[in-house]
Each structure stands twice: as C-alpha cells, then as structure tokens.
Amino acid sequence: MASVSAKAPDQPAIEIASGPYLVASTTMKVPTKDRVELYNLTPQIQEFVRSSGVRDGQVIVASMHTTSAIFINEWQDALLFDIRNHIESTVNQEGYYRHNDPEWSDCDRNNADSHLRTLMLGTQVTLPVADGEVVLGEFQGVIMGELDGPRERIVRLQIMGIGNE
Amino acid sequence: MASVSAKAPDQPAIEIASGPYLVASTTMKVPTKDRVELYNLTPQIQEFVRSSGVRDGQVIVASMHTTSAIFINEWQDALLFDIRNHIESTVNQEGYYRHNDPEWSDCDRNNADSHLRTLMLGTQVTLPVADGEVVLGEFQGVIMGELDGPRERIVRLQIMGIGNE
Amino acid sequence: MASVSAKAPDQPAIEIASGPYLVASTTMKVPTKDRVELYNLTPQIQEFVRSSGVRDGQVIVASMHTTSAIFINEWQDALLFDIRNHIESTVNQEGYYRHNDPEWSDCDRNNADSHLRTLMLGTQVTLPVADGEVVLGEFQGVIMGELDGPRERIVRLQIMGIGNE
C-alpha cells in the first residue's frame, strides 16, 4: 500500500493565546419523534459557544445516554437517508439478543440493537474553539443519532478555555 | 426522512466557573483474563476525579494500546454478552490477514482482528467534570474492551480544569 | 460472561501540576494521492506539541472533513493493508446510495461510501500531554484515513494546558 507519512507543513504557523481560564456548561434537551432519527446540533452548539465567554479552547458535546449517539458528518438530506439505512443495516433490530430476553434481562425496551448501534457511532465529540467560534470544516455538522426514540434526550455541552477579557 | 434541527433550549441556563488551572493524571493497570472481555472502569474514574482536586473541567480516559478499546455503554450482564457477540461477529478472527502472515509481518500474535475491532470501537473518551464529579448519564458506564488478552493493560487518566480553592 | 470490574490500582499515584493556562493551535495540510489511503500523523503531532510551549494538558487532532477520518492504531505495513481492506469491505463503494443519485443529491463525487466509512472511524481524537510530550502507548500512532482522495486535507491541531515557565 502506497502510504507515506504526512508531509510536515512548510511553515507551521502556531497561534498561541493565554489568559484567565473559564469553564461553562449547559444541558440541551432534544425531544425526538421516531425510533431512528438524526438531529443537527450545530446551530445550538455555535450559539452556546458564542454566549459562553470562552475565546480559545474546546467544547465537549456528550450524549447522556447509551442509545443515542453523537458524531460529525455532513447534514445533507440525501446523505442522512443513507446514514440511517447504514445504521439500520449494520446492526439488525431483529434476531436474538440476550438484552431483549426476559429470562436474562430486566430491560423491556427490546433495544439491544440501539445499544450496539450507539457503540459503533460513539457518544461524544470534542471540538476546538478559536476566536470564540467552534472550529468545523465547511461540510462538518455535529449530529445526534436518536437510536431508540421517541424520547427526550439530554446532551451536555461543556466548554473550557481562555475567557474574553 | 423526518429529521429536523434540535430545538434550542428555551432558557439555556449556562453555568460558568473560573479559577486556578490544574492538571492531574494517573495510570491504571487492568490485568485481564480472557481474549475478549469487558471491564467497567467507571468506579475507578470516579474515584480518580474525586481525589484529583479538580472541580470543573474534563477527564480523558485513554487506552495505551492498539488492541484494547475504551467506550461508553450500559454495564448490564445481558447486554455485555450481546456486545461481546457483536464485536466477535463484526470482525472475524479467522480469515486471511496480512498482519497474521509471517511472510509479511513480524508480529506473531495473530491479532489482526483485535486491531480491527479496536479500530471500530475507539481507544479513548473525554468526559465532562462538574462540581468534582464525572458527568455521566444514568445508564452510562465507561468500559474497557480487552480484545487481545489476557494481558496487563494500561489506561491513562488525565483530568484538567479548575482546582478546588 | 466472566467480566469483572477493573481492580483499583493499589497505590494510585496521582501527579498534579498547575500554572498559567495556554492554548496553541495550527493547521496541517496533508496532500493525498489515492482514493483510500492512510497517513501517519504522529511525528507532526509530536513536533507541534514540543514547539507549543504547553507542558501538561491535552491536544485535539481533528479532521476538518466528512470524508477523512482520524483514529489511533499501529503503523505497521502489513496491518495497514488489512485496515484498508477492512474499510473497503465494511462499507461498499458500489450499491445504491441516495447521496450518489442526481435525482436526490447535488453532490457529484459519488462518495456516499466515503461518508459512511468516516462515520464508522471517527474524525477526531484527544490525546493527553505530559512533560511536554504526547502520551501514547508503545505501538500507538495517530492515523489519518483518506477516504475520498486524492485531495488536500486539512487537520486542525489544538493544544491546551499549562505552559512552560
């Protein structure tokens, strides 16, 4: 395989900032409507970052659940259809799961597939923050995957870094 | 697909804290017994956070290996059985892998599947810390997946944030 | 399943540091040559950390794209071959995707598979930094997966923590 190491940037321009350290946090509620569904959290995260008073640092976006995921991808209708299909075909809802078997489990939601789908997608991302804005690529959005709805989901946002003067 | 943007919280209550910045770290050893096995790291992480002296910030939980994973899910016996099954069926142990072929590889552990399983699950999570406690949902646990045991595994815990007065 | 909780370390030695808080960031360009290709970013990350002036904290390595991934695994030729095979066989390039269908999508790259592969691998990792060095296990490398090349990719590096005196 023709893999090589990444070329170092010719002139690595490093920007450095320092100042008083700040931590700000909030809890977002996302009421969902279907069993499997995708939500674009990007505008709310951007709004939170702007109102937090932190200029440079990072923000954590964390699902407080084991059957809803947080990940980065493009928020485009056609692609969202493919992502949902992929999630549903990669881990079957039907089939035997011990978590769905009353002989083994006290959970009556029959949601083993939701746990396994969450396992594959992850439950949290950490994003850089610079100049008071989330650092995301042009096509990147932060997406919550509801994988066992409908429910009210809780997403924790926590930003930390250098506060504005 | 009926996906819509998440509704913004009506009154986003943002909590802000500031103070002296602290970094604390430790190394946890996890001796494992089987080839594929799951370990609940949550109590040790909670204990570390409480004794670190950090009140608000975040903690990184990072496997120091390429064949053991760190992820968040529910610690329930029936589900752990399903997770292990899922890990073993998603990536086959048998089959041809160049990493297991002495003509191509100097690794004699025959553990290509362990690397690929780790790839799918991830090796680290970052958790918010607030009021001196890890912020986790009711059913969330931090789980280490041993994927090429038995071995002694090393997990790095590093917390950073505002220290107690 | 014979899973038990991880044993607590007998004498958890916690190292604590405090001092002035610093954030440093840079943007790395990675020109790629093939559609699916792996790049070892570890040396560039190490160099960035050493030149950042941060002694203890963490560094985020974030792809600015939705079709290139960032993950941790071993940089070994035979294994890289297996990883690339695994990526290509887990999500098919062929097959119907709405994202590739001009009736549904304005994207003409035919790269639905690249998005789904990125979804499974993740786009960012957070690494602890201690004593001015990235904390990585002996066999761990930070790898960028080009999943829709060739292109010039952007990777954001952001470090935050206690600065050197």
Side-chain angles (χ1 to χ4, degrees):
Chain A
M1 176 180 183
S3 287
V4 297
S5 285
K7 200 179 144 219
D10 296 325
Q11 299 193 38
I14 299 182
E15 291 177 41
I16 299 180
S18 71
Y21 181 74
L22 215 70
V23 177
S25 56
T26 194
T27 295
M28 215 169 98
K29 291 178 186 176
V30 185
T32 64
K33 290 172 188 164
D34 288 327
R35 187 166 195 271
V36 175
E37 209 181 353
L38 304 176
Y39 288 85
N40 186 4
L41 305 185
T42 319
Q44 282 76 34
I45 296 167
Q46 285 168 330
E47 192 189 322
F48 167 69
V49 169
R50 284 172 196 148
S51 58
S52 71
V54 172
R55 203 181 64 219
D56 294 288
Q58 63 156 54
V59 58
I60 305 178
V61 182
S63 164
M64 290 291 105
H65 306 276
T66 53
T67 55
S68 73
I70 303 283
F71 53 86
I72 291 171
N73 219 291
E74 186 177 350
W75 188 257
Q76 187 232 30
D77 275 348
L79 182 63
L80 296 173
F81 177 86
D82 296 328
I83 290 176
R84 198 175 65 164
N85 265 2
H86 177 74
I87 291 170
E88 294 184 326
S89 66
T90 302
V91 178
N92 287 325
Q93 184 178 355
E94 308 304 328
Y96 178 80
Y97 294 109
R98 200 177 268 191
H99 183 64
N100 297 349
D101 180 347
E103 279 203 41
W104 289 93
S105 173
D106 58 356
C107 173
D108 54 6
R109 293 191 64 90
N110 279 297
N111 65 353
D113 64 303
S114 315
H115 284 282
L116 297 177
R117 290 167 177 178
T118 303
L119 186 66
M120 303 312 284
L121 295 170
T123 60
Q124 44 92 46
V125 296
T126 299
L127 309 166
V129 171
D131 292 324
E133 298 281 341
V134 181
V135 180
L136 282 170
E138 182 183 357
F139 296 106
Q140 287 187 318
V142 182
I143 298 174
M144 188 191 91
E146 168 61 84
L147 301 169
D148 185 32
R151 292 162 87 162
E152 182 175 82
R153 295 300 193 171
I154 305 293
V155 177
R156 174 86 175 185
L157 303 182
Q158 189 147 333
I159 190 171
M160 56 212 73
I162 297 169
N164 292 316
E165 301 304 305
Chain B
M1 178 179 180
S3 286
V4 297
S5 283
K7 201 179 143 219
D10 296 326
Q11 300 194 36
I14 300 183
E15 291 178 42
I16 299 181
S18 73
Y21 180 75
L22 215 71
V23 176
S25 56
T26 194
T27 294
M28 215 167 97
K29 291 178 187 176
V30 185
T32 64
K33 290 173 188 163
D34 288 327
R35 188 167 194 270
V36 176
E37 208 181 355
L38 304 175
Y39 288 84
N40 186 4
L41 305 185
T42 319
Q44 281 75 34
I45 295 167
Q46 286 169 330
E47 191 188 322
F48 166 68
V49 169
R50 284 173 196 147
S51 58
S52 70
V54 173
R55 202 181 64 218
D56 294 288
Q58 62 156 51
V59 58
I60 305 176
V61 182
S63 163
M64 290 292 105
H65 307 275
T66 53
T67 54
S68 73
I70 304 283
F71 54 86
I72 290 171
N73 218 291
E74 186 177 350
W75 188 257
Q76 187 232 29
D77 276 347
L79 182 64
L80 297 173
F81 177 87
D82 296 328
I83 290 176
R84 197 174 65 163
N85 266 1
H86 176 74
I87 291 170
E88 293 183 325
S89 66
T90 302
V91 178
N92 287 325
Q93 183 177 355
E94 307 304 327
Y96 178 79
Y97 294 109
R98 200 175 269 191
H99 182 64
N100 298 348
D101 180 347
E103 279 203 41
W104 290 94
S105 173
D106 58 355
C107 173
D108 55 6
R109 293 192 63 90
N110 278 294
N111 65 353
D113 64 305
S114 316
H115 284 280
L116 298 177
R117 291 166 178 178
T118 303
L119 186 67
M120 305 311 284
L121 296 170
T123 60
Q124 44 92 46
V125 296
T126 300
L127 309 166
V129 171
D131 293 323
E133 297 282 342
V134 181
V135 179
L136 281 170
E138 182 183 357
F139 295 107
Q140 287 186 318
V142 182
I143 297 174
M144 187 191 92
E146 168 60 83
L147 301 168
D148 185 32
R151 297 171 71 169
E152 183 175 80
R153 295 299 193 171
I154 305 293
V155 178
R156 175 83 173 186
L157 304 181
Q158 189 146 333
I159 190 170
M160 54 212 74
I162 298 169
N164 292 315
E165 302 300 306
Chain C
M1 180 181 177
S3 284
V4 296
S5 284
K7 202 180 142 217
D10 297 326
Q11 301 195 35
I14 300 182
E15 290 177 44
I16 299 180
S18 72
Y21 181 73
L22 216 70
V23 177
S25 56
T26 194
T27 294
M28 215 168 98
K29 291 178 187 175
V30 186
T32 65
K33 290 174 189 162
D34 288 327
R35 187 166 196 270
V36 175
E37 208 180 355
L38 304 176
Y39 287 85
N40 186 5
L41 305 185
T42 320
Q44 281 76 35
I45 296 167
Q46 285 168 331
E47 191 188 322
F48 166 68
V49 168
R50 284 174 196 146
S51 57
S52 71
V54 173
R55 203 181 63 218
D56 294 287
Q58 62 156 52
V59 59
I60 305 177
V61 182
S63 164
M64 290 292 105
H65 307 275
T66 53
T67 55
S68 72
I70 304 282
F71 54 86
I72 291 171
N73 219 292
E74 185 176 350
W75 188 258
Q76 186 232 28
D77 275 347
L79 182 63
L80 297 173
F81 177 87
D82 296 328
I83 290 176
R84 196 174 66 163
N85 265 2
H86 176 74
I87 291 171
E88 294 184 324
S89 65
T90 302
V91 178
N92 287 325
Q93 183 177 355
E94 307 305 327
Y96 177 80
Y97 295 108
R98 200 176 269 191
H99 183 66
N100 297 348
D101 181 347
E103 278 202 40
W104 290 93
S105 174
D106 58 356
C107 173
D108 56 4
R109 292 191 64 90
N110 278 296
N111 66 353
D113 64 303
S114 316
H115 284 281
L116 298 177
R117 290 167 177 177
T118 304
L119 186 67
M120 304 312 284
L121 295 171
T123 59
Q124 44 92 47
V125 296
T126 300
L127 309 166
V129 171
D131 293 324
E133 297 282 340
V134 182
V135 180
L136 282 169
E138 183 183 356
F139 295 106
Q140 287 187 318
V142 182
I143 297 173
M144 187 190 92
E146 169 60 84
L147 302 169
D148 184 33
R151 293 164 83 165
E152 183 175 81
R153 296 301 193 170
I154 306 293
V155 178
R156 173 84 173 185
L157 303 182
Q158 190 147 332
I159 190 171
M160 54 212 73
I162 299 170
N164 292 316
E165 302 302 306

